[in-house]
Amino acid sequence: MRVILTSDASHMGAVSAAIATNCLRKSLRDQARARIVVATGASQFEVLANLASQPDIDWSRVEGFHLDEYVGIAIDHQASFCGYLRSRFVEACQPAKFHYLHGDANPVETIAAVGSELQKAPIDLLLCGIGENGHLAFNDPPADLETQDPYLIVELDDQCRQQQVGECWFETLDDVPTHAMSMSINQILQAKNLICSVPDTRKAEAVRATLEDPISPSIPASVLRRCEQATLVIDEAAASRLSDSVRSTLQSP
């Protein structure tokens, strides 16, 4: 995994989108269609805005997939990741097809159907972030690093749920669903290109643990260090707790 240090969230979004654009252009030069997994949350605001404005991506040849979603949340809820992706990605980019994880549908049937579509061909590009508790997608610690299932139904821990309140998706902790549908860790790591974008001081400890602590289920994002095709893009705020020795290894954009 390579790690790129940027100045702020805006710069991070531009850098991540530029890398993503290059990946998509290459995939579309080499094959008839490209397949992308798209994430949500505050970390992806700048990434998706920049990606949607990139020229020369033939979105009519791109198929998209949803990374994770709350169980029991309808698309018109302010915290719905389906609604987020519809407005910030699908309507903005108009890919040929997008496979949503509908939160108000039967979750077992939903992950089976979308997982079946997902595994029909390799994923060319996956966008994600890291949670305040070190999660990847909604794989909270201790994460299942062994399952080969493409999607899981997972229980959300209190730190993850409190993050959703802190980012103003929900008013109180009691409003946050206790379960979610999430792409599994192993499925995430199978993407040909993986771009993980992480801004903000709130994520500084998770970034430090991801890069400096032992790789383990208690820090799900730490598995990215095993992923040669992964790029972690962070800003100065997110890098604020890194040791000098690790900071010295970070790359410039």
Side-chain angles (χ1 to χ4, degrees):
M1 178 181 70
R2 64 172 174 160
V3 186
I4 297 175
L5 178 61
T6 64
S7 58
D8 53 28
S10 179
H11 190 203
M12 178 212 70
V15 169
S16 293
I19 298 169
T21 298
N22 287 336
C23 290
L24 285 172
R25 286 174 179 164
K26 183 179 185 302
S27 295
L28 291 170
R29 284 197 304 268
D30 297 342
Q31 57 202 44
R33 299 177 72 85
R35 308 175 95 224
I36 181 175
V37 174
V38 189
T40 58
S43 68
Q44 302 300 305
F45 288 158
E46 301 285 350
V47 178
L48 295 182
N50 278 277
L51 184 60
S53 67
Q54 296 293 318
D56 304 325
I57 298 176
D58 185 356
W59 290 106
S60 69
R61 296 164 55 204
V62 176
E63 182 178 12
F65 289 85
H66 192 161
L67 185 69
D68 52 14
E69 178 61 283
Y70 302 105
V71 170
I73 293 292
I75 196 169
D76 58 354
H77 190 287
Q78 68 173 5
S80 166
F81 291 162
C82 287
Y84 177 118
L85 290 172
R86 181 178 61 185
S87 63
R88 294 178 182 271
F89 178 72
V90 176
E91 292 179 351
C93 299
Q94 298 187 349
K97 183 183 296 185
F98 193 85
H99 301 274
Y100 289 102
L101 296 170
H102 287 287
D104 55 352
N106 182 300
V108 175
E109 294 176 357
T110 298
I111 64 172
V114 178
S116 177
E117 291 295 325
L118 183 74
Q119 294 191 311
K120 286 182 177 179
I123 294 299
D124 298 293
L125 173 65
L126 185 143
L127 305 177
C128 66
I130 293 175
E132 292 177 29
N133 63 356
H135 70 206
L136 276 182
F138 267 140
N139 296 288
D140 286 339
D144 186 341
L145 305 185
E146 305 301 326
T147 182
Q148 298 300 311
D149 293 342
Y151 286 99
L152 306 172
I153 297 173
V154 296
E155 184 173 1
L156 305 179
D157 71 17
D158 285 347
Q159 186 178 2
C160 171
R161 295 173 66 228
Q162 188 60 54
Q163 177 183 331
Q164 315 312 314
V165 177
E167 293 182 357
C168 299
W169 301 110
F170 297 90
E171 291 187 6
T172 71
L173 186 63
D174 288 341
D175 294 328
V176 184
T178 58
H179 291 77
M181 297 172 281
S182 176
M183 189 172 290
S184 68
I185 295 287
N186 274 322
Q187 183 64 56
I188 289 170
L189 298 181
Q190 289 178 35
K192 292 180 182 179
N193 300 278
L194 190 158
I195 302 170
C196 184
S197 306
V198 190
D200 203 330
T201 305
R202 293 180 301 107
K203 305 290 183 73
E205 175 55 25
V207 168
R208 187 210 61 76
T210 294
L211 295 178
E212 298 186 7
D213 287 352
I215 297 172
S216 76
S218 65
I219 312 167
S222 64
V223 302
L224 292 175
R225 285 163 30 207
R226 297 174 177 166
C227 188
E228 293 183 0
Q229 71 273 28
T231 299
L232 175 61
V233 186
I234 58 178
D235 68 359
E236 283 285 357
S240 61
R241 298 195 63 175
L242 294 176
S243 64
D244 290 342
S245 60
V246 170
R247 283 187 68 96
S248 69
T249 68
L250 306 184
Q251 300 180 22
S252 299

